[in-house]
Amino acid sequence: MNEAKVVSVVFEVLGRSSSIDFSHQASSLAATIPHHQVPHDLLHAITRTASDGLNEKTLPALSKLLAISAFTTQVAELFSPLLVDLCARWLEDEFLDEITRLEALAFISEPCEEIFPLVKAFLSRPSLSKGPLGFLVALQPAQIAALPATDLERILLTYYRLLHAEQDIPKLFDWASSPLTALLSASHPDLAVRALAIECWALHERATEEEKIKTSLELLGPPGEVDIPTYYGDSITDASIQPRQIDGWLLPFLESVRVTQLRAKVQSQSSPPVASPPIPSNLLHPRIANVGGILLFRHTPDPVPLSSLVETPGTLDVLKTMALQLSRRLPTLITSPPGSGKSLFIQHIATLLFPLSVSPNQIVTIHLSDTSLDAKSLLGSYSSSATVP
């Protein structure tokens, strides 16, 4: 099958199922941008898109704006079908520093689960081998206590959001809890730093509520006795970008509300009445695969190999459904008579997302005809205890 033809068909599906009126959406975005606080090239790209529609500057500009805290929510809502592509550009784009990009990834990783494979790729960078707080291990307590509070609050809030999105991240990347322990032991004078460090430590160590309350009483005092002004990202106020603060005691509640609201808006995002044309394949990032109209993160920028899958409306519908489930990290049961193509579809998607040398190892086959298998072999088992609920 001709690879270019497959790409063309798939993008036509994207144009129908996830169509975006770039002019309309860019106009909505441009109306809120403080012109004096945004680089001219970004502003020009957005205004050009608002007047002329999608062009070669649109997606790079949206990616950069998505990484700026004050615009992350709005860009995510307006251009949700393209989030995976926009975030994939952060792997190489050095327009913003590493922590700024990680901050934006953490912000959208829980409500937008389709970007989690990309989060894992970003966290695999050598500079993050010890976690975002790894630099604290080499410092003395007095040096830690003297670090700027706002910088630490920003990193800790990012860490907290990452752990909330996936609590196994420290285990996946072998991050020690020693940086958090060092931060707590240093007794930083800023209460917000202490409060955020406690939240991160409790998630990292899977501490019980009793242990968390005890540590909080020691470092913060009784709940609510004093306010804890805490950095909570940036927002646009009076036509300018301003830091936003909350009371640190309310962080878990406010985060729950934020994630719920953003998830609902992203999932319900619908196209304006005027549909956009299909997105040309050369405008997407090389590490993006379009599977039945759903964008997925590829683990290699190598060209997509030719597939033996024949393109028909039926096969594209199946691929789209499978890709949607995969993007949402949901377990999926595929049933059909023997020989109807279940394995072919799975192999096709694995080959799209992983290098040829790796893709066969991404498929684990269990022959259910083996009589030694039982429910535990397939589903696993879990036992709770007094310390691990």
Side-chain angles (χ1 to χ4, degrees), residues 4-271:
K5 190 174 182 182
V6 173
V7 171
S8 175
V9 171
V10 171
F11 274 106
E12 287 176 8
V13 173
L14 175 63
R16 292 195 301 269
S17 63
S18 301
S19 60
I20 300 174
D21 184 342
F22 282 90
S23 294
H24 181 278
Q25 306 296 67
S27 296
S28 299
L29 180 61
T32 65
I33 296 177
H35 292 196
H36 61 288
Q37 289 185 291
V38 173
H40 176 74
D41 59 330
L42 295 187
L43 183 61
H44 175 73
I46 299 302
T47 53
R48 178 185 169 191
T49 302
S51 61
D52 301 335
L54 176 66
N55 58 78
E56 74 282 358
K57 300 290 186 181
T58 300
L59 299 185
L62 289 174
S63 176
K64 292 178 173 64
L65 282 175
L66 181 67
I68 299 174
S69 176
F71 304 111
T72 302
T73 298
Q74 189 172 9
V75 175
E77 293 175 3
L78 291 173
F79 299 94
S80 58
L82 300 175
L83 276 179
V84 178
D85 177 271
L86 301 183
C87 294
R89 298 168 189 270
W90 298 344
L91 293 173
E92 297 90 16
D93 196 340
E94 301 297 331
F95 169 75
L96 295 170
D97 64 87
E98 185 174 70
I99 291 299
T100 297
R101 286 174 283 159
L102 183 59
E103 181 181 14
L105 274 175
F107 184 89
I108 59 179
S109 60
E110 189 172 359
C112 309
E113 293 200 4
E114 65 269 25
I115 72 163
F116 188 73
L118 196 147
V119 173
K120 291 175 65 176
F122 195 92
L123 295 179
S124 299
R125 299 160 70 96
S127 55
L128 292 171
S129 61
K130 296 181 180 179
L133 292 168
F135 67 94
L136 293 177
V137 178
L139 302 180
Q140 297 297 319
Q143 294 174 302
I144 295 176
L147 291 173
T150 302
D151 292 345
L152 284 176
E153 290 176 34
R154 183 181 171 208
I155 297 173
L156 285 165
L157 181 59
T158 297
Y159 202 167
Y160 175 80
R161 286 169 170 165
L162 286 173
L163 292 177
H164 245 282
E166 179 54 75
Q167 202 167 357
D168 284 336
I169 280 179
K171 184 186 298 184
L172 290 172
F173 296 98
D174 197 25
W175 290 353
S177 60
S178 50
L180 289 168
T181 304
L183 187 55
L184 292 173
S185 301
S187 294
H188 196 282
D190 185 75
L191 287 180
V193 169
R194 298 187 199 178
L196 286 167
I198 292 170
E199 294 288 348
C200 293
W201 167 81
L203 288 171
H204 189 125
E205 291 292 313
R206 299 179 184 269
T208 63
E209 191 66 20
E210 182 180 356
E211 293 172 327
K212 179 182 171 182
I213 291 173
K214 179 181 178 182
T215 305
S216 180
L217 286 172
E218 292 174 357
L219 297 178
L220 302 175
E225 186 172 78
V226 295
D227 290 342
I228 304 180
T230 304
Y231 172 78
Y232 199 60
D234 298 324
S235 60
I236 301 175
T237 306
D238 296 329
S240 64
I241 299 175
Q242 301 289 343
R244 181 186 175 193
Q245 283 194 334
I246 62 166
D247 186 345
W249 296 110
L250 301 177
L251 176 67
F253 169 74
L254 293 176
E255 275 295 283
S256 176
V257 172
R258 179 190 70 81
V259 169
T260 301
Q261 291 179 344
L262 182 56
R263 179 183 289 130
K265 288 180 180 178
V266 166
Q267 291 181 352
S268 65
Q269 194 263 357
S270 58
S271 303

Side-chain angles (χ1 to χ4, degrees), residues 2 67 148 154 170 333:
N2 183 277
R154 183 181 171 208
L333 177 65

Side-chain angles (χ1 to χ4, degrees), residues 1-10 12-13 307-317 319 344-345 348:
M1 184 186 302
N2 183 277
E3 179 183 350
K5 190 174 182 182
V6 173
V7 171
S8 175
V9 171
V10 171
E12 287 176 8
V13 173
S307 172
S308 58
L309 192 67
V310 178
E311 55 183 69
T312 66
T315 57
L316 289 175
D317 285 343
L319 285 173
L344 178 61
F345 281 115
H348 176 77

